[in-house]
Amino acid sequence: MSHDAQVYVRSQTEFDYIKQKRKKDMRNQVTTFGIMIFLTLISFTAVAAGFSVYLIVPVILLLAAIQVVLQLYYFMHMSEKNHQVVAFFLYSAVLLAFTFILTFLTIIWWG
């Protein structure tokens, strides 16, 4: 039982291009990871320093939103091509969740 197997051998130019692209991707991921660690340290420092809760909560939520965006674009590869449909549904869900939370916070605040 034999199968027709095609073997594709990459040229040196293709190999160099792929190697350079992977190196760039790894550099972006390591840099993003460092930024997220730094944002986490800022959050912990703000809490440990004993700042007002009214200052800490919005700052931590902002830093968390930045981390979510960084994780989606670099670790979940949303910055690559052919992710438009997934990105559309993801952003639609975020918009729906934001509207839902804002609606109920408004009802609770003025209710």
Side-chain angles (χ1 to χ4, degrees):
M1 185 177 215
S2 70
H3 296 283
D4 292 332
Q6 294 181 358
V7 177
Y8 179 75
V9 179
R10 292 186 178 128
S11 67
Q12 186 63 34
T13 306
E14 289 174 319
F15 179 74
D16 290 339
Y17 173 75
I18 291 171
K19 185 177 177 181
Q20 182 180 9
K21 185 175 181 329
R22 287 180 181 167
K23 184 178 178 181
K24 180 184 173 190
D25 289 342
M26 182 59 77
R27 186 179 334 120
N28 284 342
Q29 286 190 352
V30 170
T31 304
T32 304
F33 180 72
I35 291 170
M36 288 191 294
I37 293 295
F38 180 69
L39 293 175
T40 303
L41 289 175
I42 290 173
S43 299
F44 280 119
T45 305
V47 171
F51 291 125
S52 170
V53 174
Y54 298 109
L55 174 68
I56 291 176
V57 171
V59 168
I60 290 177
L61 289 176
L62 175 68
L63 294 175
I66 292 171
Q67 284 191 359
V68 166
V69 170
L70 288 174
Q71 286 183 10
L72 286 175
Y73 274 98
Y74 288 105
F75 293 132
M76 300 301 290
H77 305 287
M78 294 293 285
S79 61
E80 295 179 1
K81 293 181 181 180
N82 299 327
H83 285 102
Q84 290 85 11
V85 174
V86 176
F88 172 73
F89 283 114
L90 182 72
Y91 295 138
S92 298
V94 168
L95 180 64
L96 183 67
F98 176 74
T99 306
F100 181 79
I101 291 169
L102 184 66
T103 301
F104 281 99
L105 284 176
T106 305
I107 290 171
I108 290 171
W109 185 270
W110 282 317

